Structure formats: C-alpha cells, structure tokens
Amino acid sequence: MAGTGVFADVLEGDVYKYYADGEWKKSSSGKSVAIINPTTRKTQYKVQACTQEEVNKVMESAKTAQKSWAKTPLWKRAELLHKAAAILKEHKAPIAECLVKEIAKPAKDAITEVVRSGDLVSYTAEEGVRILGEGKFLVSDSFPGNDRTKYCLTSKVPLGVILAIPPFNYPVNLAVSKIAPALIAGNSLVLKPPTQGAVSALHMVHCFHLAGFPKGLISCVTGKGSEIGDFLTMHPGVNCISFTGGDTGIAISKKAGMIPLQMELGGKDACIVLEDADLDLVAANIIKGGFSYSGQRCTAVKVVLVMESVADALVKKVKEKVAKLTVGAPEDDCDITPVVSESSANFIEGLVKDAKEKGATFCQEYKRDGNLIWPLLLDNVRPDMRIAWEEPFGPVLPVIRINSVEEGIHHCNASNFGLQGCVFTKDVNKAMLISDAMETGTVQINSAPARGPDHFPFQGLKDSGIGSQGVTNSINMMTKIKSTVINLPTPSYTMG
Ligand SMILES: NC(=O)C1=CN([C@@H]2O[C@H](COP(=O)(O)OP(=O)(O)OC[C@H]3O[C@@H](n4cnc5c(N)ncnc54)[C@H](OP(=O)(O)O)[C@@H]3O)[C@@H](O)[C@H]2O)C=CC1
Ligand SMILES: O=C(O)[C@H](O)COP(=O)(O)O
C-alpha cells in the first residue's frame, strides 16, 4: 500500500515528504499542496510545498554530487540503475495504486506504466554502457592543407545538473525517461513532478533511494508548477532542462538560459485514411489510439481525416466499437475513466459545445458526470470548429471527411503541432509519399501513433517540441562532446 512498508519513510502524518540530500524531508514552508483524486474529486494525498531556499540547497547538493558521480565508472552507474529498475518492478503494485488514485489511470495500465519504466531504466543502463564507452578518433590530414600531425580524441561528457519536469499522464514513465539517461551519462538530476502524479513519482524516487545512489545525486522537489516552476527553470544551477507537457514548455523555452532543452509538448495527431485501407484495422487503431487512457496521451489520435467514399463505413465500425468501451472507475479497469481535473473536463466540454453549435454530427449523446466524460465521436467536423485544431486531451474524437489525400495532408500541416501522425493504406508507395509530406516528427504506417518502443526516437516539430527523446537520443542530448588533441612534432602516418 502507498506510504507503508518500504515506503513508510516517504510519508509523515498525512503529507508526503520531498527528497533531498538522500533523505526524506518536510518543507520549512509548513504548507502542503493537495492532490485531488479525479474520480472522487476529494483530496487523496498531500505533498510538501517546497520553498525557493530549499530549491537552492537542492541545486547546490546536486552540483557537488555530480562531480563525484562523473568519476564513478560507467559500469557501476549501470549496475545501480539495474538495481533501481528491479526495485521499481518489485514494488509495482503500490506505485500503480498511486497512479490509479492520483490520475485515474486504469489499474492494468498503471501496472504497465511501472513495468515499462523499469524496462526503460535497464535498457538505458545497457545502451549507456555501449554508447558512452565509445568516442571518435580523427586525424588531421583528411582536411586540406594539413599533415598528419594532430590526433583528435573525442568522448561524451556529462552536462552537470539536469532538471526534469514530466506531465501528469505518465508521472513515472516520463520521469524515468529523463532520470535514467541523465544518470548513466554522469549527470545529477532534480525532479519536479507534476502535482497530479507527485505521489507516484515520490514512490518511484524512493526505489532509486533504496538502490543506493549517492546523496544529492537525485532530488525531488514538490510544489505547484505555477509557484516554483519559474524559479526552477531559471535557476543558474541548472545545466539542461528536459520537459514534457503542454504550452508551459513554450514559455519555459523563452525564459531558460543558454542551456540545452529537450521539450516534448502537445500534439494534434492526424489519422489519414485512404480508400483502400483495411477499415477493421483502422477502426481498431482509432479506438486504441483515440480513447486509451481517455485520450490523455500526447500521441492520441486527435483527428481522423477520412476519404468521403469510405467515411460512412468507417464511422459505423468505430461507432460500434465505441459502444463497447466500458466507462467508470480506474479501480475497475474501465476503458474510459475520469479526466484529470475539473478544469480539464470543462475545457473538453467547451470544445464539444462549440462543435454542437457549429453543426457537427454527434455519433453518441454527450454525457458527463463530474470529471467522467463518456467517449464521443464527432462526425462531419469542419475546419471552423475548435475541435478540428485544439487538443482535447479527453475522450472526444473529431472526424473530418476529405475528398483528396492532399486535403488531408494540408489539414495535418496547417496545425501548429507536429508530433506524430498516421496513414492507413495498402499501398506502401503512397504511404511513403504521404509520410514524407506530413510535417510531423513521426508517421506511423497502418498503426496508431505511439511513443514506444521507448528506444525509438520521439520528437515533435513546430509547437510539439525541441530535440528528440528515446533512450539513445536522450543519453546523447544529456552529454556534450569533449575533444583532446595530441599534437605531434612531426607528421606520423600509420603504415600497415
Ligand atoms: N509530447 C509529449 O511527449 C507529451 C506532451 N504532453 C502534453 O502535456 C499536456 C498535458 O500535461 P500537463 O501535465 O497538464 O501539462 P503542463 O504543461 O500543464 O504541466 C507539465 C509539467 O510542468 C509543470 N509546470 C507547470 N507550470 C510550470 C512552470 N511555470 N514552470 C515549470 N514547470 C511548470 C507542471 O507542474 P504542476 O502539475 O505542478 O502544474 C507539470 O509537472 C498536453 O498538452 C499534452 O499534449 C503530455 C505528455 C507527453
Ligand atoms: O505522454 C504521452 O502522452 C506520451 O509520451 C505518449 O506515450 P505513449 O504513446 O506510449 O502513450
């Protein structure tokens, strides 16, 4: 159970502690932040509201700890990460319980998130050992005018202190996808978890604590992003920010100093369906892509662009499947569970009302109870409706009927987002051309958008982000190249 057994140190009274200098601490602010259970809409947990002074201290210890960590052999860093991964998986049940209570993630998906996170940490340790163990050797005579008098040796060195800020929808997985690459590469890490999801994240951090990482190397400060966020992201002690979330990321990228940024932001992933597509496959992927975790995934299918000639048939198939989705509590492992907050539910409702006023066809009746919104397919959506462009982050999916592939590509590219997209057709040549024309970081052919497997590159164009995630890219992003040049007094050529 959360906050008990091996996790007892994390909780005092009814407030979870924050993690600094290898210890669980109470904030001197004496204030806490409430985490509202999206299902009951009552306070489920409380976390510390950390102060700026506490952030300063955390940054200082992170800097000191990083210096010795960088001198720790790579294989030892990997060994500790493997240990943390095993502990994380061993304690998947209490962590998953927090995910269910804090963010209403269906019970089975909550377990999957923790297991996937353990696998990600282990994979990162292995990948790090491989790629960080290699450097480059260059000789000077390949550039015009030079003899072979210079040998250049390059290696990858850590950046320093990495600030990790994940979003509510994967508070564990999108935290470890930043923590593991940072640590294997020799950096220290400061985590600011999302408020909804903070307790899951604190339990995950405790697994790293139990694995025995040095004091100060990992810290976790809690508090509302709106209150301590700017102080953290503009802190001079931060050498890199890895952020996943919404428009907040755009604001951070304007405020942050001259440091590397990894930003994974929102998306409006389009699903383009051609006339020759296997409509059963498309319908199954629209359900999985559009409605899993109630549409609260950046990679959710967020607009279907279907050729008019097959639109009736597709909408019918999707409608039949929507009718079979179970709606209710995450504890009961329902397909559709309450969205994260009341304000999120209100925002979704605003998009639905706008579509209604402008004449969209409702394939189901709109139904809401508190934060629970029943799955809704909106047909005949037109570009003048907000839902055609905005990200509901909820179980509402618009269908736009198109008369040409070009029209579909045009809609996809007119979006300010460019995360992923997908195209369904049996003609692989056409699929390749469409993929090349779509201005998105990834295009899936004959499957719904998805980030995983977690070692695949994952990136967004335009307002969807800066840089690329995925295990290998994250490790590389959290390092910089260091060169050492050996200068010889006379040219020397390798003879045989
Ligand atoms: N591309 C991707 O990989 C993903 C993108 N997303 C996008 O994220 C959004 C939903 O997630 P959500 O968590 O609501 O996103 P937010 O952008 O609201 O929050 C993300 C994180 O930023 C923190 N934060 C808030 N304000 C600040 C600030 N001023 N400075 C620093 N940090 C701050 C939040 O903390 P707090 O909770 O305390 O406010 C949270 O930890 C959607 O738009 C979705 O598309 C989500 C997942 C993946
Ligand atoms: O946070 C998100 O929504 C993701 O990064 C998407 O991950 P997924 O495709 O594995 O759900």
Side-chain angles (χ1 to χ4, degrees):
M1 210 184 131
T4 62
V6 292
F7 296 107
D9 284 352
V10 188
L11 182 63
E12 191 174 313
D14 65 345
V15 187
Y16 280 87
K17 295 189 233 169
Y18 77 102
Y19 187 65
D21 268 325
E23 286 171 25
W24 291 99
K25 299 186 179 187
K26 275 172 81 173
S27 169
S28 62
S29 71
K31 289 186 194 151
S32 63
V33 179
I35 296 169
I36 309 297
N37 179 324
T39 312
T40 62
R41 294 193 289 155
K42 297 206 168 96
T43 299
Q44 180 73 43
Y45 303 123
K46 286 179 194 163
V47 292
Q48 308 289 328
C50 290
T51 63
Q52 295 190 348
E53 194 42 47
E54 282 155 354
V55 168
N56 283 337
K57 280 199 188 134
V58 153
M59 291 297 173
E60 243 171 67
S61 2
K63 192 173 176 182
T64 312
Q66 192 270 325
K67 298 283 176 223
S68 9
W69 182 243
K71 292 182 196 152
T72 305
L74 193 48
W75 67 265
K76 272 199 187 171
R77 292 184 216 156
E79 205 171 72
L80 278 172
L81 283 169
H82 282 300
K83 206 169 160 192
I87 298 172
L88 194 58
K89 284 191 188 179
E90 189 189 333
H91 297 294
K92 58 182 184 292
I95 303 175
E97 175 199 320
C98 301
L99 290 168
V100 168
K101 302 286 182 210
E102 283 186 294
I103 60 162
K105 185 161 276 200
K108 262 195 217 136
D109 294 351
I111 291 280
T112 307
E113 175 170 350
V114 184
V115 174
R116 173 183 180 182
S117 301
D119 291 339
L120 192 154
V121 174
S122 293
Y123 188 96
T124 307
E126 285 169 24
E127 183 72 347
V129 164
R130 280 194 289 272
I131 65 173
L132 296 165
E134 285 178 355
K136 268 194 173 175
F137 171 61
L138 290 101
V139 288
S140 49
D141 63 312
S142 53
F143 198 87
N146 285 272
D147 285 322
R148 190 172 292 202
T149 51
K150 291 173 189 288
Y151 291 165
C152 178
L153 306 170
T154 72
S155 61
K156 289 174 188 147
V157 296
L159 296 176
V161 179
I162 312 286
L163 173 63
I165 307 183
F168 81 83
N169 63 344
Y170 281 99
V172 174
N173 185 264
L174 282 170
V176 301
S177 75
K178 303 170 191 315
I179 296 173
L183 296 185
I184 193 69
N187 300 287
S188 58
L189 187 121
V190 176
L191 173 68
K192 149 60 192 118
T195 294
Q196 298 290 143
V199 174
S200 316
L202 291 169
H203 281 70
M204 175 273 295
V205 167
H206 193 57
C207 296
F208 282 77
H209 169 79
L210 294 173
F213 282 90
K215 286 182 180 187
L217 189 70
I218 307 168
S219 325
C220 184
V221 287
T222 50
K224 282 193 179 153
S226 52
E227 284 166 20
I228 53 164
D230 283 356
F231 191 72
L232 277 160
T233 53
M234 288 157 59
H235 200 284
V238 172
N239 303 112
C240 166
I241 302 174
S242 178
F243 175 92
T244 308
D247 287 351
T248 316
I250 298 177
I252 292 174
S253 64
K254 289 181 181 145
K255 288 180 219 161
M258 206 176 72
I259 54 172
L261 300 179
Q262 186 180 45
M263 295 277 162
E264 292 295 344
L265 312 182
K268 185 73 185 172
D269 296 7
C271 171
I272 301 183
V273 186
L274 305 199
E275 281 131 329
D276 69 342
D278 172 344
L279 295 186
D280 289 314
L281 178 74
V282 183
N285 273 279
I286 286 177
I287 292 294
K288 183 172 114 227
F291 295 102
S292 52
Y293 188 35
S294 308
Q296 296 173 112
R297 295 164 56 237
C298 59
T299 48
V301 168
K302 297 202 180 104
V303 56
V304 176
L305 302 160
V306 55
M307 291 295 284
E308 179 67 63
S309 58
V310 291
D312 283 344
L314 180 66
V315 167
K316 184 169 175 281
K317 284 179 191 290
V318 177
K319 211 173 143 179
E320 283 164 8
K321 287 184 186 295
V322 167
K324 291 189 186 139
L325 291 172
T326 54
V327 182
E331 288 83 353
D332 299 334
D333 213 28
C334 287
D335 298 314
I336 304 295
T337 55
V339 296
V340 71
S341 63
E342 191 174 343
S343 62
S344 174
N346 291 343
F347 175 76
I348 297 164
E349 186 162 292
L351 294 179
V352 171
K353 280 188 178 157
D354 175 78
K356 178 118 197 150
E357 278 158 23
K358 292 176 183 159
T361 307
F362 278 52
C363 298
Q364 298 79 22
E365 195 190 332
Y366 172 66
K367 201 172 157 196
R368 171 181 171 186
D369 178 8
N371 294 358
L372 188 60
I373 293 180
W374 270 249
L376 179 61
L377 189 69
L378 297 174
D379 194 5
N380 295 305
V381 165
R382 291 188 321 268
D384 63 324
M385 300 176 190
R386 287 175 57 202
I387 192 88
W389 305 104
E390 294 181 43
E391 189 187 23
F393 234 59
V396 179
L397 182 60
V399 176
I400 298 181
R401 293 167 175 240
I402 53 173
N403 291 302
S404 68
V405 171
E406 288 71 27
E407 200 182 325
I409 296 171
H410 178 265
H411 186 93
C412 166
N413 291 350
S415 170
N416 58 315
F417 293 118
L419 191 60
Q420 292 210 358
C422 59
V423 52
F424 285 85
T425 170
K426 294 193 184 104
D427 185 338
V428 73
N429 298 326
K430 260 193 201 161
M432 282 309 300
L433 291 175
I434 295 169
S435 167
D436 285 346
M438 286 169 82
E439 293 167 5
T440 61
T442 303
V443 174
Q444 305 268 352
I445 296 174
N446 292 325
S447 189
R451 171 163 51 106
D454 289 334
H455 65 309
F456 280 12
F458 179 54
Q459 55 281 315
L461 307 183
K462 300 187 268 185
D463 286 353
S464 291
I466 305 174
S468 178
Q469 277 197 98
V471 170
T472 316
N473 286 345
S474 292
I475 296 173
N476 283 330
M477 186 266 168
M478 292 177 186
T479 60
K480 68 165 106 177
I481 302 291
K482 168 79 185 263
S483 305
T484 301
V485 181
I486 301 171
N487 290 276
L488 303 173
T490 52
S492 174
Y493 291 86
T494 323
M495 298 307 289

